[in-house]
Amino acid sequence: MSNWSSTDDVAESLQRSGYLTDPRIAQVVFLADKLEKPILAEGPAGVGKTSLALALAQATGRRLVRLQCYEGLDEAKALYEWNYHKQLLRLQSDEGKAWHEIEGDIFTEEFLLERPLLEAIRAESAVVLLIDEVDRVEMETEALLLEVLDAFQVTIPELGTVTAKDRPIVVLTSNNTRELSEALKRRCLFLHIDYPSVEREQRILLAKVPDLPDAMATKIAKTMRSIRQLAVRKAPSVSESLDWARTLLALGVEDVDAKITVGTLEVLLKYQSDIDKASRELLEP
Amino acid sequence: MIKSLGSFIGELRAVGLPVSTAEALDAAEALRVIDIADREGVREALAATLIKLPRHRAPFDVAFDVFFGNAAPAEERAEHDDTPPQGAESGVDDLIAQLAGALRSGDTAGLEAAVRRAVSRLSGFQKGRPVGGRYYLYRVMQRLEGIEEALAAGEELSGLDALLDRDDVAALLERLQAEIRREIIERLVADRGPEPVARTLREPLVEDLDLMHATRLELERVEAAVVPLARKLATRLAQRRRRGRHGRLDLRRTIRRSLAHGGALIEPQFRRPRLSKPDLVLLCDVSGSMATFARFTMQLTYAISHQFSQVRAFAFVDAVDEVTGLFGTGTDFAESMARLSSETRVVAGDGHSDYGAVFRDFAEQHGDVVTPQTTVLVTGDARTNYREDGAEVFADIAAQARSVFWLNPEARRFWDTGDSVMRKYACWCDSVDEVRTLRQLERFVEQIALPQHRPSRKLASGVLN
Ligand SMILES: Nc1ncnc2c1ncn2[C@@H]1O[C@H](COP(=O)(O)OP(=O)(O)O)[C@@H](O)[C@H]1O
Ligand SMILES: [Mg+2]
């Protein structure tokens, strides 16, 4: 079951959904679809990892199921848990019954809280499953993810085993704040997304910021490249580049120069030390 | 293609890239479903299946160019070479103009043709000559010296435009160099076959660089790789601690309990209690022989510090001083290293290591920081300069701690030779590991995460006299 016939096909359909690929991204998406393997998209913040998954859902007409990871995310929040509140209420109304009578009543569908992973497995039609910022979870949860990704099958002791009808397209994202386990990486196709090339950034700008003149898009993209080379503490990403383009348009700027750039650096850089460094470089290169 | 895939993967493994059998099978599978006429597409497909760390991409690309490059024999290439034979310098100017034109206009085919010509004319390439690719690359780039000027925009630029143009030129030069390198590799492969060429191009991976002797530049690459690895170490240490920390409601226990108490559902039962974070005490030898390595251990500790309830870092040469404050959150690492040497008292005498004095000072002045919750991590080469070793004091410190790990950046075969007294400290440690490279550090990280593999410490405080 595949969604695309070639990498060009991937690129076009994602572009229609507002996402600009490069040959690497298109190839990995194509492969993930053909081989039914998860994509592990890794790279700095704001380079389009999450939006790749969103665009994939749109391009394939599939529903997006999102598991947002954070430190402390556990099985109960990722897979399922029992609604004990509701169970307790039922128990109170059933007072006096024996445990073996009650047990069958309260461990049923009605009391199950479905979390994203289970939702993706039980979906009627195939979904896109986004496991966002997986580098934030702890080892136990990573192991759980691995288990689920292996078979798309879950056993709930009280309800039995459920298996996904169609394999979801899975995208895991990581900002590489820590190295993931070998086992998880082995399971995935690895997609390193870095800051875009000048050409691609320019195309993203033109696609996302209506009314932006070509020449300004080029100049913004090149300025981004130069600032990223400055070894700043936190380099500006595509999100900042888009914000900056919108800011410049709102200010009625027609041609970007050093003075205007220095005046609007807070849009691009978060640390004062970075702003100082960039100002110096821009004013006296 | 499948056949070259086998040798290609063999080369990746020889370089030190960890390609598992499963990944090799994935790569073969990938080649069956993609368009293999598209070389860059093949490159991306193989990278996605075989390479799982960004820093492994550069060595991967080199090997890919060797095994999957256009390996048509040199004679065939020469036929496409339509420039006049070797000669006048004006020929070089023409080449520069062609290369610059193709680079500026983004004409890929034109660039490839011009690069072929440049390599034919300028590299002095000779079949069967046993020189490496770097030599030819150097020769060509030297002859093309004028290209930078040719690439810069003609008009006088100022301000932002000048800056952007400078970076344009730098990017184009990098592109040119990559193209020339690729062309030379292809010629070498046509001449000698891929395996021998690949062998001459191997470079140590970041994880295999010797940390004691790394150059400044290499160390920067190491530092970039340390942070994610350190966090992995931290999560592993945290995992040991937190095993089942999650205080989830256990409904069955709640109910059984309440049934036993007459059915009132009053006292929810939670699974497993919360444990507290351990403390970490780092003792770091920063003497001359250890300076490079110290940089690295300090960075390691700095990166994992937030995983511990408390981290105290101490540096020493022939005296010991606390450096904790220097490496807290929000500090700049490079700056902290500079302050370490200027602001702390780690040298009292002649600046040569004195383990005996250091352990004694530590026990006297800071002994109370080590408690049964403390993990002590010592980094040092255990070279005493033939001074007192202070092993009995070290034993007392170790006896107070929860666990003690020692990382020694010297090759194991040199331990206990000359003034090294590693053995004397080793018996008080949970483990002593040779950590000369990131790879070894990673192994230490893996092992520390598996409590059942921890040898139990031979606790015998006071046995030494
Ligand atoms: N290739 C792209 N095409 C279109 N928009 C992009 C692309 N890459 C990044 N963006 C935009 O950049 C912003 C940040 O992207 P996001 O996916 O949130 O980054 P990440 O998940 O990598 O941190 C979004 O507004 C997104 O629309
Ligand atoms: Mg994101």
Side-chain angles (χ1 to χ4, degrees):
Chain A
M1 205 234 31
S2 69
N3 291 283
W4 297 282
S5 62
S6 66
T7 51
D8 287 344
D9 193 15
V10 171
E12 276 160 36
S13 90
L14 285 176
Q15 179 155 9
R16 276 195 299 278
S17 307
Y19 192 85
L20 291 141
T21 57
D22 60 12
R24 176 183 300 180
I25 297 174
Q27 181 66 284
V28 176
V29 168
F30 179 74
L31 262 187
D33 187 42
K34 284 279 188 195
L35 303 183
E36 300 194 328
K37 286 178 88 60
I39 297 173
L40 172 59
E42 189 241 60
V47 291
K49 301 182 296 295
T50 303
S51 35
L52 172 62
L54 307 185
L56 281 171
Q58 202 185 332
T60 54
R62 295 176 176 212
R63 188 158 60 87
L64 180 87
V65 176
R66 179 175 188 157
L67 175 63
Q68 179 62 52
C69 298
Y70 50 87
E71 208 188 321
L73 173 73
D74 61 4
E75 201 175 314
K77 292 285 174 286
L79 194 55
Y80 72 88
E81 70 183 319
W82 293 104
N83 185 341
Y84 75 89
H85 226 87
K86 216 164 147 190
Q87 286 175 320
L88 290 181
L89 286 174
R90 167 65 65 87
L91 284 171
Q92 264 159 350
S93 68
D94 282 357
E95 246 195 275
K97 285 194 191 170
W99 168 245
H100 68 268
E101 286 176 286
I102 310 168
E103 191 174 15
D105 286 349
I106 59 167
F107 289 103
T108 58
E109 190 62 42
E110 189 189 344
F111 299 93
L112 186 70
L113 290 174
E114 183 181 76
R115 304 299 187 201
L117 291 178
L118 185 60
E119 185 187 347
I121 292 170
R122 300 210 298 180
E124 268 311 305
S125 56
V127 297
V128 171
L129 172 62
L130 165 62
I131 302 179
D132 213 9
E133 305 189 356
V134 67
D135 50 331
R136 295 212 204 159
V137 301
E138 284 136 44
M139 302 299 286
E140 299 97 321
T141 315
E142 202 180 304
L144 167 76
L145 291 176
L146 193 63
E147 242 176 84
V148 170
L149 294 180
D150 240 353
F152 278 99
Q153 181 178 311
V154 165
T155 301
I156 303 173
E158 298 84 355
L159 295 181
T161 301
V162 252
T163 311
K165 282 204 200 119
D166 295 308
R167 274 199 165 232
I169 296 177
V170 185
V171 179
L172 300 102
T173 77
S174 160
N175 292 329
N176 195 26
T177 56
R178 75 166 170 89
E179 273 187 27
L180 301 169
S181 72
E182 299 303 321
L184 185 63
K185 289 199 273 189
R186 227 175 281 138
R187 182 83 45 226
C188 300
L189 297 173
F190 186 73
L191 171 62
H192 180 61
I193 306 185
D194 215 328
Y195 301 116
S197 66
V198 168
E199 292 71 30
R200 194 160 78 96
E201 186 146 28
Q202 187 184 336
R203 288 197 294 132
I204 296 173
L205 283 161
L206 290 172
K208 293 270 159 175
V209 186
D211 306 328
L212 187 70
D214 276 14
M216 228 159 101
T218 310
K219 207 143 175 193
I220 291 174
K222 286 188 177 181
T223 309
M224 297 306 292
R225 176 184 62 190
S226 295
I227 292 179
R228 284 177 197 139
Q229 283 172 0
L230 288 181
V232 284
R233 257 170 92 184
K234 171 128 188 20
S237 200
V238 179
S239 336
E240 283 78 32
S241 165
L242 292 169
D243 286 346
W244 192 40
R246 293 189 188 107
T247 307
L248 294 174
L249 278 190
L251 293 172
V253 171
E254 274 164 13
D255 185 25
V256 189
D257 62 19
K259 208 166 141 248
I260 290 164
T261 307
V262 169
T264 48
L265 275 177
E266 326 64 273
V267 182
L268 294 175
L269 298 167
K270 301 285 165 274
Y271 293 98
Q272 189 56 43
S273 58
D274 287 350
I275 293 178
D276 295 343
K277 194 181 225 172
S279 308
R280 249 176 285 130
E281 179 70 10
L282 284 160
L283 295 174
E284 54 219 60
Chain B
M1 184 77 87
I2 295 290
K3 191 169 152 280
S4 2
L5 180 64
S7 350
F8 174 62
I9 290 173
E11 174 60 24
L12 296 181
R13 287 179 176 150
V15 172
L17 301 174
V19 179
S20 68
T21 311
E23 288 162 319
L25 291 173
D26 285 345
E29 190 66 18
L31 290 184
R32 295 189 338 153
V33 300
I34 61 165
D35 172 11
I36 57 171
D38 167 18
R39 193 185 315 158
E40 291 312 301
V42 171
R43 186 195 297 269
E44 294 305 340
L46 293 184
T49 46
L50 298 173
I51 296 298
K52 308 289 162 88
L53 271 178
R55 68 167 184 271
H56 289 164
R57 181 60 193 249
F60 168 92
D61 278 334
V62 171
F64 184 88
D65 286 338
V66 171
F67 283 86
F68 295 94
N70 171 14
E75 293 78 38
E76 265 172 55
R77 290 160 190 285
E79 280 172 32
H80 302 288
D81 182 3
D82 45 19
T83 47
Q86 307 262 348
E89 274 305 302
S90 72
V92 175
D93 292 340
D94 283 347
L95 271 176
I96 288 178
Q98 288 163 6
L99 288 167
L103 281 167
R104 270 281 176 199
S105 62
D107 168 10
T108 311
L111 178 63
E112 277 176 19
V115 163
R116 262 200 307 274
R117 254 174 260 134
V119 172
S120 291
R121 298 271 316 279
L122 307 178
S123 67
F125 188 87
Q126 282 171 9
K127 282 178 77 173
R129 196 167 162 213
V131 294
R134 271 177 227 104
Y135 166 78
Y136 291 124
L137 177 66
Y138 172 75
R139 276 193 61 152
V140 177
M141 289 312 286
Q142 203 185 23
R143 298 288 299 281
L144 292 177
E145 227 176 16
I147 187 102
E148 189 162 349
E149 207 175 314
L151 280 172
E155 335 109 62
E156 275 295 301
L157 295 175
S158 61
L160 184 61
D161 291 324
L163 178 72
L164 299 185
D165 190 63
R166 183 197 70 190
D167 290 345
D168 263 342
V169 171
L172 294 176
L173 275 177
E174 214 168 281
R175 168 95 202 278
L176 175 65
Q177 190 153 342
E179 285 294 320
I180 294 176
R181 182 186 296 118
R182 202 183 40 67
E183 177 67 24
I184 290 171
I185 287 178
E186 287 177 2
R187 286 179 198 223
L188 288 170
V189 170
D191 186 28
R192 306 176 199 169
E195 280 85 2
V197 175
R199 225 171 294 132
T200 64
L201 292 171
R202 279 179 205 161
E203 275 180 31
L205 299 177
V206 173
E207 48 266 56
D208 293 321
L209 290 171
D210 188 331
L211 295 165
M212 284 262 262
H213 304 107
T215 64
R216 182 91 197 176
L217 206 70
E218 288 172 334
L219 218 60
E220 267 170 35
R221 289 164 60 208
V222 172
E223 278 169 13
V226 165
V227 178
L229 179 62
R231 297 251 171 76
K232 187 179 184 179
L233 167 62
T235 15
R236 288 197 174 244
L237 291 169
Q239 179 200 21
R240 286 179 56 186
R241 214 170 55 225
R242 282 191 205 148
R243 197 169 296 281
R245 170 200 61 168
H246 308 292
R248 280 179 70 188
L249 182 86
D250 188 334
L251 191 66
R252 282 199 178 76
R253 270 180 64 213
T254 307
I255 293 168
R256 286 215 195 88
R257 221 184 142 96
S258 57
L259 287 176
H261 286 88
L265 294 160
I266 34 149
E267 202 184 327
Q269 296 294 306
F270 288 90
R271 291 185 180 131
R272 301 175 196 123
R274 181 182 285 264
L275 298 171
S276 66
K277 289 186 179 185
D279 302 340
L280 179 69
V281 167
L282 177 77
L283 266 167
C284 189
D285 183 347
V286 295
S287 65
S289 61
M290 291 285 302
T292 321
F293 186 74
R295 241 183 105 78
F296 156 82
T297 39
M298 281 292 173
Q299 193 203 10
L300 176 73
T301 326
Y302 172 58
I304 62 176
S305 58
H306 69 283
Q307 288 289 348
F308 293 88
S309 71
Q310 198 184 177
V311 177
R312 308 278 297 263
F314 298 86
F316 65 87
V317 177
D318 55 9
V320 63
D321 199 359
E322 179 155 12
V323 297
T324 308
L326 291 183
F327 294 92
T329 34
T331 55
D332 181 71
F333 181 73
E335 212 173 278
S336 305
M337 279 312 291
R339 288 177 54 196
L340 173 64
S341 42
S342 64
E343 290 175 26
T344 61
R345 257 193 85 258
V346 295
V347 177
D350 59 4
H352 294 296
S353 299
D354 186 341
Y355 278 76
V358 164
F359 287 138
R360 206 177 43 242
D361 279 6
F362 180 80
E364 273 168 20
Q365 291 161 31
H366 309 284
D368 55 333
V369 307
V370 179
T371 73
Q373 279 74 49
T374 309
T375 295
V376 177
L377 186 62
V378 188
T379 67
D381 57 9
R383 290 205 172 269
T384 55
N385 291 301
Y386 301 104
R387 292 168 172 162
E388 190 201 337
D389 56 46
E392 48 323 316
V393 188
F394 180 73
D396 289 338
I397 298 170
Q400 287 169 42
R402 182 176 89 146
S403 42
V404 181
F405 300 100
W406 189 304
L407 305 183
N408 189 330
E410 243 188 3
R412 198 176 278 270
R413 66 178 183 282
F414 296 126
W415 295 3
D416 301 308
T417 63
D419 59 343
S420 165
V421 294
M422 192 62 252
R423 200 168 32 88
K424 290 211 173 172
Y425 305 124
C427 55
W428 313 109
C429 300
D430 292 61
S431 73
V432 180
D433 290 86
E434 172 189 311
V435 175
R436 290 161 57 221
T437 65
L438 266 188
R439 192 187 293 280
Q440 287 173 321
L441 177 70
E442 174 137 40
R443 215 169 297 140
F444 169 72
V445 169
E446 301 292 332
Q447 160 225 306
I448 206 176
L450 297 170
Q452 67 271 29
H453 289 174
R454 279 175 55 205
S456 59
R457 186 152 38 113
K458 298 169 209 81
L459 257 191
S461 176
V463 169
L464 286 183
N465 38 28

